[in-house]
């Protein structure tokens, strides 16, 4: 299952979009998009993938995902059976950082929301969230456009003030090229995410970013506090963790599916990043 870029440009006529999802199972697509996404799970359970975070999810979960952060909610196998009567239900809200203009979130009164949006780059799970905020998310679709906007700002404010938050993806997972502007950033993000499990070099990524390799390397390390090679290994191992958790392929195939052409190097990088071997990771996940 390869990482996909989802184009939500059809949403440009609205400041943000709210949707009630009611399906036999959630979209089985490892994907990313430039919009932030707020997700409230009503019914469903399975495995949640956000960046390099892989955890179980259950109903009543609320998560905020940052722009361009790869993610997927993968329902348990029984949801896909022909005779299954299980339901995956929830609400999702998609919005861009500048959904109310470039300067709106810079207002002093909105500092907490601005910080929330920044922190969402790693993905945020809200633990023991007040039911009133969850209810307000569910009622967004019942409001007229103006009331919906005010309500959504209230929701963001409530999330920002909530103290019990868990960050999901490791720091810097997606922050690859935040200093680049315009289409160059989008193209570079898309190139990395679409090709990380293939043979990809620093020179190729630098060319997409319209920078020489040395300058790009310095810039990349300054932004991420890690080299491009280190980042690429983390991305590949994160993807390998997802494949292992699906329990469909053996370790050797997962090695190659994740972009490695040497099983010894794969095992070495996997243990360096996760603290355990791929086999140990599989055993722990299946037992969980």
């Amino acid at each position: 299952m390869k990482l996909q870029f989802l184009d939500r440009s059809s949403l440009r006529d609205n400041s943000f979009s709210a949707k009630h999802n009611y399906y036999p199972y959630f979209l089985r697509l490892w994907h990313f998009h430039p919009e932030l996404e707020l997700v409230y799970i009503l019914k469903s359970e399975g495995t949640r993938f956000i960046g390099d975070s892989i955890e179980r999810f259950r109903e009543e979960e609320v998560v905020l995902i940052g722009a361009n952060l790869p993610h997927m909610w993968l329902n348990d196998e029984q949801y896909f059976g022909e005779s299954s009567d299980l339901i995956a239900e929830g609400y999702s809200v998609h919005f861009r950082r500048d959904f109310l203009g470039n300067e709106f979130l810079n207002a002093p009164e909105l500092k907490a929301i601005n910080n929330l949006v920044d922190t969402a780059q790693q993905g945020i799970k809200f633990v023991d969230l007040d039911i009133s905020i969850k209810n307000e998310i569910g009622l967004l679709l019942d409001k007229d456009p103006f009331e919906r906007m005010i309500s959504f700002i209230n929701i963001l404010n409530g999330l920002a003030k909530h103290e019990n938050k868990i960050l999901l993806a490791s720091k810097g997972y997606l922050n690859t090229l935040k200093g680049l502007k315009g289409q160059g950033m989008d193209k570079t993000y898309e190139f990395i995410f679409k090709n990380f499990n293939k043979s990809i070099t620093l020179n190729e990524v630098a060319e997409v970013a319209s920078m020489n390799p040395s300058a790009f390397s310095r810039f990349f390390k300054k932004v991420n506090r890690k080299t491009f090679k280190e980042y690429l290994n983390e991305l590949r191992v994160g993807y390998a963790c997802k494949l292992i958790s699906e329990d469909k392929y053996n370790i050797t195939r997962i090695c190659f599916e994740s972009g490695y052409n040497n099983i010894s190097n794969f095992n070495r990088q996997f243990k360096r990043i996760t603290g355990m071997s791929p086999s140990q990771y599989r055993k722990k996940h299946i037992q969980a």
Side-chain angles (χ1 to χ4, degrees):
M1 192 180 299
K2 295 186 178 180
L3 187 62
Q4 302 289 327
F5 173 80
L6 288 191
D7 182 4
R8 297 186 181 276
S9 57
S10 59
L11 303 178
R12 289 172 182 165
D13 292 336
N14 303 289
S15 298
F16 68 96
S17 71
K19 184 179 180 182
H20 178 212
N21 302 291
Y22 189 88
Y23 304 111
Y25 46 81
F26 290 131
L27 183 67
R28 285 191 291 183
L29 186 65
W30 176 234
H31 66 283
F32 69 103
H33 41 71
E35 298 80 14
L36 289 89
E37 181 174 358
L38 177 64
V39 177
Y40 172 28
I41 304 292
L42 290 177
K43 297 179 181 178
S44 190
E45 59 181 49
T47 305
R48 168 178 27 81
F49 304 88
I50 296 183
D52 54 355
S53 167
I54 302 175
E55 297 179 348
R56 293 287 299 171
F57 76 87
R58 294 176 176 83
E59 50 191 56
E60 294 302 315
E61 174 176 288
V62 176
V63 169
L64 180 62
I65 308 166
N68 291 311
L69 182 59
H71 57 278
M72 175 175 66
W73 273 257
L74 180 65
N75 287 111
D76 289 333
E77 201 63 37
Q78 59 264 33
Y79 280 78
F80 303 100
E82 292 184 5
S83 59
S84 173
D85 59 356
L86 296 171
I87 292 298
E89 182 181 10
Y91 293 97
S92 60
V93 183
H94 291 90
F95 64 102
R96 290 181 179 258
R97 184 189 187 95
D98 61 351
F99 74 108
L100 289 176
N102 292 327
E103 298 300 322
F104 185 78
L105 290 185
N106 291 328
E109 295 81 0
L110 298 177
K111 182 178 180 180
I113 296 179
N114 197 11
N115 291 338
L116 177 74
V117 170
D118 285 340
T119 307
Q121 281 299 118
Q122 290 180 247
I124 305 170
K125 178 182 176 181
F126 300 89
V127 181
D128 298 327
L129 188 65
D130 193 284
I131 189 63
S132 64
I133 298 178
K134 295 179 179 179
N135 289 340
E136 201 164 358
I137 295 172
L139 292 172
L140 281 174
L141 289 170
D142 299 330
K143 302 179 182 294
D144 66 39
F146 179 78
E147 291 177 339
R148 186 182 304 136
M149 175 63 68
I150 298 302
S151 181
F152 184 52
I153 294 173
N154 282 330
I155 290 169
L156 292 177
N157 188 51
L159 294 176
K161 291 181 176 179
H162 185 70
E163 293 185 357
N164 199 349
K165 302 182 183 76
I166 296 177
L167 300 185
L168 300 173
S170 60
K171 190 173 183 180
Y173 181 85
L174 187 72
N175 227 9
T176 314
L177 301 170
K178 67 180 181 180
L180 294 178
K181 304 294 182 181
Q183 293 184 349
M185 181 180 69
D186 294 335
K187 289 180 180 179
T188 309
Y189 270 125
E190 189 170 353
F191 181 82
I192 292 173
F193 292 142
K194 285 186 175 180
N195 295 282
F196 73 91
N197 57 347
K198 303 174 185 176
S199 177
I200 180 174
T201 67
L202 173 68
N203 287 359
E204 291 173 324
V205 180
E207 183 176 353
V208 175
S210 300
M211 299 174 70
N212 69 62
S214 296
F216 177 80
S217 182
R218 290 192 298 271
F219 170 79
F220 191 95
K221 188 171 184 179
K222 180 180 179 181
V223 170
N224 292 274
R225 298 180 182 177
K226 66 184 71 172
T227 66
F228 174 73
K229 184 177 180 180
E230 290 170 334
Y231 174 85
L232 185 59
N233 275 315
E234 290 183 7
L235 192 60
R236 286 172 170 171
V237 168
Y239 184 65
C241 288
K242 183 189 80 68
L243 293 180
I244 290 173
S245 69
E246 291 177 358
D247 200 24
K248 293 180 180 179
Y249 307 128
N250 61 39
I251 298 299
T252 300
R253 178 167 177 180
I254 289 173
C255 163
F256 293 107
E257 290 285 340
S258 303
Y260 291 96
N261 56 17
N262 181 295
I263 189 69
S264 297
N265 185 39
F266 171 66
N267 287 334
R268 183 167 56 253
Q269 296 299 334
F270 195 99
K271 188 169 185 177
R272 180 182 65 82
I273 292 169
T274 67
M276 62 187 79
S277 70
S279 298
Q280 290 171 328
Y281 186 94
R282 167 168 277 168
K283 183 178 180 181
K284 180 179 179 181
H285 180 80
I286 292 175
Q287 286 180 339

